[in-house]
Structures are given as structure tokens and as C-alpha cells.
Amino acid sequence: MLLLRLFVEFFKIGIVTFGGGQAMLPLLQHSFVTELGWITQERFLYFVSVAEVTPGPVALNMATFIGYELDGVIGSAFATLGVVMPSFLVILAIAHFEKKFKENILYKRFMLGVKPVIVALLINAIYLIVGRGFVGFIPYLMALGSLIVFIFYRKSPLLILLVAGVIGVFVLR
Amino acid sequence: MKKLITLTYDFFVIGLFTIGGGYAMIPLMRQTFVETRKYLTEEEFLEMLAISQITPGPIAINMATFIGYREGGLIGSALATLGVVLPSFIVILVISIFFANLTAIPQVKKFLLGILTGVVGEIIYITFDIFKKAKKTIFYLLVLTLSLVELFILKINPIYVILIGGALGIIFGKFFEGENASS
């Protein structure tokens, strides 16, 4: 019942993915690398770098990647369906009932508590990539360099990442 | 029928050109649905965007479901969502099937590692940006610290860390709402 597991794991992650794809990297890492051991750390980081420079939200790309790795085309379909389904259902409910959703006091308070967690998850995502993917001091210098570029020129993240890749071919070991 | 095809096509194009995070496609969606197709007014678009940002899931998916439902009901939302998902699905499948061992080539491995260093720079930038714009109440800083302890020291499943944050918000949020009303 691998397909069902894939669907459920991605569904669970889809429900709690607030604030962009990068914040959910620690969730994927925890589920698929640490807890289930379905994906190696090296593979995971490979997926992250490809997912960031291919079309579509990072969350979706990761689902397709991991799903294919585990069970081919059908696996990637189930994983993608799992990660998409929560947002699809939630938005459908909101669009259908047209409730004053944003004014809901409980949900507002819930999000008040989730917002700081997103920052913690992003810090965790940085640590996961740096701690397991960086060897020697050159990657740190490159990360610092790209941070500076992002601060002054953030118009095209894709271009910055691709340039970092090209530089990497020449300077990384 | 024609409208459904247009809807699927529009979202397919948006999915195809959204590289590097959902925020890249906001201007493209505005252009398509407010100006070209005139499905939405500027105000309606911003309202949808606001809801998409505080609901679970990638913004691209949320917006597709939203606009699809408005323009074509349940089928419309399903097709729009399918449209926005397909490009990334196909591209990643092609990479997985035909280039399974990309990392076996040293140059490609270095290229991808180089991208990874850029991703780290990007995430650091995003993290600072979000933190800078947040209203840093005592509650915010405490939940942030607690979450870091949970993630780094206690190594709790990140899903629970999110839910604990949300629960603390529900329990203690009312004391901090006034300070956080604007964001």
C-alpha cells in the first residue's frame, strides 16, 4: 500500500504548508529521510536543487520527484495529488460558502501562532542544506555571495540560482 | 466549453512560467485574469491573493482553485488546478525518467551544488525579510524560540511544531491581537 502511504504523507504535509515551499523542506526531510528512510539525504538535496530551478511550486516538484523515486509515474501522481488536495479542498470550501473567512477570529489566532513557526522552519531548512550539503568553505562563500545579490537584486531568483550553478561548476570540488 | 479550455490553458502557461517560488507568478496572474480576460476586478484579485496567502498550500494552487471555481464551478476549479500542476509534473517526470543519474556527471553535480548554495542565500534572504516585516511581539518571539528548540534540540516532527504554534495562537492570541491587527 505504498501508493496510499505516499498520498497520506503528502496530504499531511499539504495541510500544514503555510508560507511558501521552502518552509516545508524540513517537513519533507523529516518524513521521507529521517522517519521513513525512503530517500537518502544526498538524493533529497539533489531534488531540492532541481526543484528550485524548474517550473512550478517547489512543493509540487518535490512531490513529483519523491513519488517517482518510490513508485514511478503512478507514485508521482499520487504524491502530487496528496500535496494538492488539502489546498484544493480548503479553497473550494471558502469559494463555495463565501464566508467571511478572513475575519474568523479563531483562524486569525491560529495564524498568529503559525507565523513565527514559519521563520523557525526556514532557519531549519537552511541548517538542513548547509549541514548536509556543504563541504569545505567555498559553498559558504557562495551562499554569502548570493545572499548579497538577493539583497540588492532580487528581480530574478532563477537567474541568480543558475549563475550560482555555473560558478559552482568552476569553483566547487 | 471554450471557457474551460481557456481556463486550463491560462493556468498551464502560468504554471510553466512560474520558476522559483509562487511569488513570481503573481504579476503574470494579475495580467491574465484582471487585464486580459477581465474575470476579476483589481480588488477581487487582491482579496483572493490575501486568502491564498493564509490558507495551506502553494499560492499557485490556491489561486487556480479559486478562479477556476468562480469561472467554471467544480469542473472549472479541477481543470484550472490541473493546468497549473501539469507543467511542473511533466518537467520533473521527464527529468526523473531520462536523467535519473544526472549527478553521476561531476560537472552536473557541481552545477546542482552551486544552485544549492544560491538556494541557501535565497532562503536566508526570505527569512530575514519575513522576520523584518513581522510585528515582533513577545508572543511572536517566544513562539519562534520555542519552535527553534522543538526543531533543533527536541527534534520533534515539524508538523507538530506548526500545530503547537497554531494552538498557542488560539490559546494566547487574544492578548496580542491589538498589536498584530495590521499584518
Side-chain angles (χ1 to χ4, degrees), chain A:
Chain A
M1 280 295 35
L2 180 63
L3 287 177
L4 193 65
R5 276 299 289 283
L6 260 177
F7 178 83
V8 172
E9 285 298 321
F10 273 100
F11 190 89
K12 282 196 305 203
I13 291 171
I15 295 178
V16 293
T17 299
F18 299 96
Q22 278 104 353
M24 56 127 238
L25 291 177
L27 279 71
L28 288 172
Q29 147 92 27
H30 188 274
S31 290
F32 295 100
V33 182
T34 311
E35 209 163 60
L36 298 169
W38 286 352
I39 306 279
T40 65
Q41 187 62 49
E42 202 191 1
R43 229 31 211 156
F44 184 77
L45 291 179
Y46 161 68
F47 291 163
V48 173
S49 46
V50 178
E52 292 273 356
V53 293
T54 43
V58 175
L60 277 182
N61 295 343
M62 291 299 286
T64 312
F65 252 138
I66 294 175
Y68 185 84
E69 183 91 350
L70 294 172
D71 208 4
V73 178
I74 185 95
S76 55
F78 270 78
T80 305
L81 204 63
V83 82
V84 167
M85 209 38 102
S87 44
F88 185 72
L89 294 178
V90 167
I91 294 290
L92 219 52
I94 292 172
H96 185 73
F97 296 110
E98 293 275 41
K99 287 260 173 61
K100 291 262 175 218
F101 169 76
K102 278 202 308 168
E103 270 86 72
N104 184 296
I105 193 76
L106 273 186
Y107 193 75
K108 254 186 175 169
R109 287 176 188 164
F110 176 79
M111 285 306 290
L112 204 63
V114 168
K115 276 181 189 166
V117 182
I118 292 170
V119 174
L121 285 173
L122 288 170
I123 295 171
N124 198 214
I126 297 164
Y127 169 78
L128 289 176
I129 300 176
V130 170
R132 311 243 163 80
F134 282 22
V135 182
F137 70 98
I138 298 173
Y140 291 92
L141 280 182
M142 287 181 62
L144 186 66
S146 65
L147 170 64
I148 293 167
V149 177
F150 269 105
I151 291 170
F152 291 104
Y153 179 81
R154 54 169 189 276
K155 262 230 125 85
S156 174
L158 175 66
L159 186 67
I160 299 172
L161 296 184
L162 290 178
V163 170
V166 173
I167 294 172
V169 174
F170 293 102
V171 302
L172 291 172
R173 283 189 299 129

Side-chain angles (χ1 to χ4, degrees), chain B residues 112-129:
Chain B
L112 292 172
L113 191 57
I115 289 174
L116 218 48
T117 67
V119 171
V120 168
E122 186 184 14
I123 302 180
I124 294 174
Y125 173 78
I126 293 171
T127 310
F128 272 118
D129 196 48

